[in-house]
């Protein structure tokens, strides 16, 4: 029953053989493709440390079967920076000290990517609401919110200079 | 953990999916968004031998208006419902529920059909669907049948759906479309299931009285619970603050909610009273 999966991850075409139906997408990314920036946090679909971008949507990769990635376009945290240039959201987490241990951070950033697409000028309340799927044990969220708001401003000013 | 092994099919047509269900019977489980099913499989609370995944089946996610009836495809995601202009404008309680299921990530994948068939007692849609008088369209080996939401939910995690059937569509009748209404939910943390949820949909008469109130609660029984006593109190009456407060008291008094690790029965009753009052206050104009 094992399958061969053809998918695109961070712009690269990928073919993976021998994929069991019960393999979770997070394990395909981590164990087969070595993309360990995506983390397994809770095992109960709560924490969002596994958040990736899947066909343009932020999803919890621990709660999707790997076999569903057939034909999909996937972006993980590793795909966000362009060569050595950090994405504004990543830069924001640096500027505003939006992380401590860093475990939730890739998930937070991939979630924030969707958030800022849907709400380019979010209020603090919207940032907090739209990050409800991502839990952090270290920071108390304050600097995460600041980081996302900062990134939003950066993206907005980048657009207006285009 | 990871799920136990299973046989996996992802058919690309509804007919093929139905054929597989007919073939495998009780061994087969449908996967829609997987946002309730997969967590259970990962905990090995549920280990279906056969999974029939609907992700490739086309034309099951939509919001359509047919002669003032709103038809919602079973695989419409919570995010799609939340952002649908039609649902926002014409089915306020449903839009409100779609916004509070799980979290934004779960809402990208989870579906209204999957949630309805999963039938958790503290889920958000079942109460709303009963309040809106929804019709559940089921396709099976013997063809199509339609079941009223009121009779669809049988018990916690149990509906009338048979092992050879797929929920394909949910229809909201014209009488409930465009009516004022809300869905209010209390949960301890933002992404929890409902401790108590209240779905309200009212029909107001031209003279300012309430012709009909539909008040259905989530999380207070094994299936959605209709606050019939409160409803009849409002029937034909002007929805004043006093009457609404009285209806809320009646609604809470009539409940026999469970106690669990989240809350005891009395707390649920107390919350129900407050939320029924708020739901009616928000739904009834000039109360």
């Amino acid at each position: 029953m094992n399958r061969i999966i053809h998918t695109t991850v961070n712009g690269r075409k990928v073919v993976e053989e021998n994929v069991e139906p019960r393999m979770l997408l997070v394990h395909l990314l981590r164990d087969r493709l070595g993309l360990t920036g995506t983390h397994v946090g809770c095992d109960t679909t709560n924490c969002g440390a596994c958040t990736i971008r899947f066909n343009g949507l932020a999803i919890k990769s621990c709660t999707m079967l790997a076999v569903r990635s057939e034909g999909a376009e996937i972006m993980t945290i590793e795909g966000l920076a362009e060569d050595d240039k950090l994405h504004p959201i990543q830069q924001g987490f640096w500027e505003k000290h939006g992380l401590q241990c860093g475990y939730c951070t890739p998930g937070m950033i991939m979630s924030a990517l969707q958030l800022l697409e849907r709400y380019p000028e979010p209020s603090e309340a919207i940032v907090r609401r739209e990050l409800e799927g991502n839990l952090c044990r270290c920071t108390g969220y304050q600097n995460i919110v600041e980081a996302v708001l900062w990134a939003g401003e950066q993206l907005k000013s980048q657009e207006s200079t285009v | 953990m990871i799920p136990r092994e299973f046989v996996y099919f992802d058919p690309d047509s509804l007919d093929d999916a139905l054929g597989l269900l007919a073939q495998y019977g009780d061994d087969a489980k449908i996967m829609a968004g997987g946002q309730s099913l997969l967590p259970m499989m990962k905990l090995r609370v549920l280990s279906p031998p056969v999974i029939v995944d609907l992700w490739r089946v086309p034309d099951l996610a939509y919001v359509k208006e047919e002669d003032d009836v709103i038809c919602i495809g079973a695989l419409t995601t919570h995010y799609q419902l939340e952002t649908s202009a039609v649902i926002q404008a014409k089915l306020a309680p449903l839009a409100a529920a779609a916004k509070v299921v799980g979290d934004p990530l779960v809402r990208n994948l989870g579906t209204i059909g999957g949630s309805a068939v999963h039938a958790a007692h503290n889920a958000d849609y079942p109460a709303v669907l009963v309040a809106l008088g929804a019709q559940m369209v089921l396709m099976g080996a013997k063809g199509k049948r339609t079941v009223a939401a009121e009779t669809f939910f049988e018990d916690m995690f149990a509906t009338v759906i048979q092992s050879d059937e797929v929920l394909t569509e949910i229809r909201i009748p014209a009488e409930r479309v465009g009516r004022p209404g809300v869905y209010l939910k209390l949960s301890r943390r933002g992404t929890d299931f409902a401790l108590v949820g209240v779905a309200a949909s009212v029909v107001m008469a031209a003279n300012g009285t309430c012709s009909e109130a539909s008040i259905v609660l989530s999380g207070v029984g094994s299936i959605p619970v209709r606050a019939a006593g409160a409803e009849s109190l409002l029937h034909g009456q002007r929805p004043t603050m006093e009457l609404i407060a009285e209806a809320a008291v009646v609604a809470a008094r009539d409940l026999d909610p469970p106690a669990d690790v989240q809350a005891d029965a009395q707390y649920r009753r107390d919350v129900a009273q407050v939320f029924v009052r708020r739901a009616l206050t928000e739904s009834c104009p000039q109360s």
Side-chain angles (χ1 to χ4, degrees):
Chain A
M1 262 251 125
N2 290 358
R3 294 192 169 192
I4 304 176
I5 301 299
H6 311 79
T7 185
T8 305
V9 181
N10 297 332
R12 270 183 52 236
K13 290 209 185 304
V14 161
V15 180
E16 270 303 311
E17 304 190 353
N18 244 343
V19 177
E20 269 192 278
R22 65 172 168 159
M23 176 180 269
L24 304 172
L25 181 55
V26 67
H27 293 133
L28 184 85
L29 296 169
R30 290 180 54 82
D31 304 340
R32 292 292 188 93
L33 303 181
L35 296 168
T36 52
T38 304
H39 299 152
V40 176
C42 65
D43 240 359
T44 53
T45 313
N46 283 309
C47 78
C50 64
T51 306
I52 58 160
R53 192 175 172 87
F54 183 92
N55 289 338
L57 296 173
I59 66 148
K60 292 178 171 175
S61 62
C62 74
T63 312
M64 174 169 283
L65 296 177
V67 291
R68 272 204 189 183
S69 63
E70 180 65 31
E73 294 244 357
I74 291 173
M75 179 161 58
T76 68
I77 187 70
E78 290 90 346
L80 207 51
E82 282 186 32
D83 297 315
D84 282 338
K85 188 160 175 291
L86 292 180
H87 187 281
I89 299 175
Q90 292 171 306
Q91 190 67 38
F93 274 71
W94 174 260
E95 295 292 333
K96 294 295 177 178
H97 194 41
L99 69 155
Q100 291 178 30
C101 82
Y103 203 78
C104 75
T105 309
M108 285 286 178
I109 290 175
M110 297 313 287
S111 237
L113 191 64
Q114 170 175 277
L115 189 172
L116 289 172
E117 261 178 12
R118 290 180 177 178
Y119 302 92
E121 293 185 53
S123 63
E124 184 184 325
I126 285 184
V127 173
R128 286 180 181 276
R129 187 190 75 203
E130 294 298 308
L131 289 180
E132 275 182 353
N134 297 85
L135 303 179
C136 173
R137 303 293 282 139
C138 294
T139 65
Y141 302 99
Q142 186 59 44
N143 287 350
I144 291 174
V145 173
E146 303 282 338
V148 174
L149 290 171
W150 185 93
E153 298 273 313
Q154 292 301 303
L155 288 165
K156 197 178 71 172
S157 67
Q158 278 180 17
E159 263 193 39
S160 60
T161 58
V162 162
Chain B
M1 290 182 286
I2 59 174
R4 287 208 172 86
E5 285 185 11
F6 51 85
V7 174
Y8 177 79
F9 297 102
D10 52 348
D12 55 20
S13 75
L14 187 59
D15 279 339
D16 286 352
L18 292 172
L20 287 163
L21 289 181
Q23 184 181 347
Y24 287 98
D26 286 331
D27 274 355
K29 190 91 179 77
I30 291 281
M31 179 174 286
Q35 302 301 284
S36 292
L37 180 59
L38 259 180
M40 290 178 90
M41 289 172 67
K42 285 162 68 179
L43 289 172
R44 303 199 173 186
V45 162
L46 209 64
S47 295
V50 177
I51 293 289
V52 178
D53 190 344
L54 296 180
W55 78 282
R56 288 186 188 277
V57 176
D59 308 324
L60 283 178
Y62 53 82
V63 175
K64 289 191 266 210
E65 286 184 83
E66 273 172 26
D67 302 320
D68 300 330
V69 171
I70 295 193
C71 309
I72 302 166
L75 291 191
T76 310
T77 66
H78 310 308
Y79 179 66
Q80 287 169 335
L81 279 176
E82 179 194 336
T83 53
S84 155
V86 170
I87 302 289
Q88 282 174 16
K90 302 194 175 181
L91 287 178
L94 195 61
K99 241 177 129 147
V100 296
V101 175
D103 60 57
L105 308 170
V106 165
R107 292 198 281 274
N108 277 333
L109 291 176
T111 66
I112 183 169
S115 175
V117 174
H118 185 64
H121 71 292
N122 50 10
D124 303 306
Y125 287 125
V128 174
L129 293 176
V130 173
L132 293 177
Q135 297 285 316
M136 319 294 278
V137 180
L138 303 170
M139 291 282 286
K142 298 181 213 76
K144 190 198 273 203
R145 65 177 178 131
T146 306
V147 178
E150 194 110 31
T151 48
F152 182 73
F153 302 100
E154 287 195 315
D155 202 346
M156 211 182 289
F157 303 122
T159 68
V160 302
I161 202 168
Q162 298 296 298
S163 58
D164 65 301
E165 286 178 318
V166 173
L167 174 73
T168 54
E169 186 179 81
I170 295 173
R171 302 167 68 89
I172 311 293
E175 310 88 75
R176 285 286 165 200
V177 172
R179 303 295 184 184
V182 296
Y183 177 70
L184 300 179
K185 169 184 183 178
L186 177 73
S187 51
R188 274 175 65 198
R189 290 151 302 208
T191 63
D192 281 353
F193 286 97
L195 214 104
V196 174
V198 176
S201 169
V202 302
V203 179
M204 300 298 292
N207 62 4
T209 60
C210 174
S211 331
E212 210 188 307
S214 189
I215 309 163
V216 183
L217 283 81
S218 164
V220 296
S222 55
I223 58 173
V225 173
R226 185 177 283 285
E231 288 175 345
S232 52
L233 214 61
L234 289 161
H235 184 81
Q237 302 298 317
R238 202 165 274 285
T240 61
M241 269 176 57
E242 292 76 30
L243 187 63
I244 286 177
E246 204 190 321
V249 168
V250 167
R253 188 198 64 203
D254 289 346
L255 291 179
D256 183 20
D260 62 19
V261 74
Q262 302 282 339
D264 63 23
Q266 189 54 43
Y267 185 76
R268 283 199 159 89
R269 263 194 215 96
D270 292 342
V271 171
Q273 181 175 333
V274 172
F275 274 53
V276 167
R277 195 187 72 233
R278 284 185 192 170
L280 289 172
T281 306
E282 281 184 44
S283 305
C284 299
Q286 308 156 35
S287 50

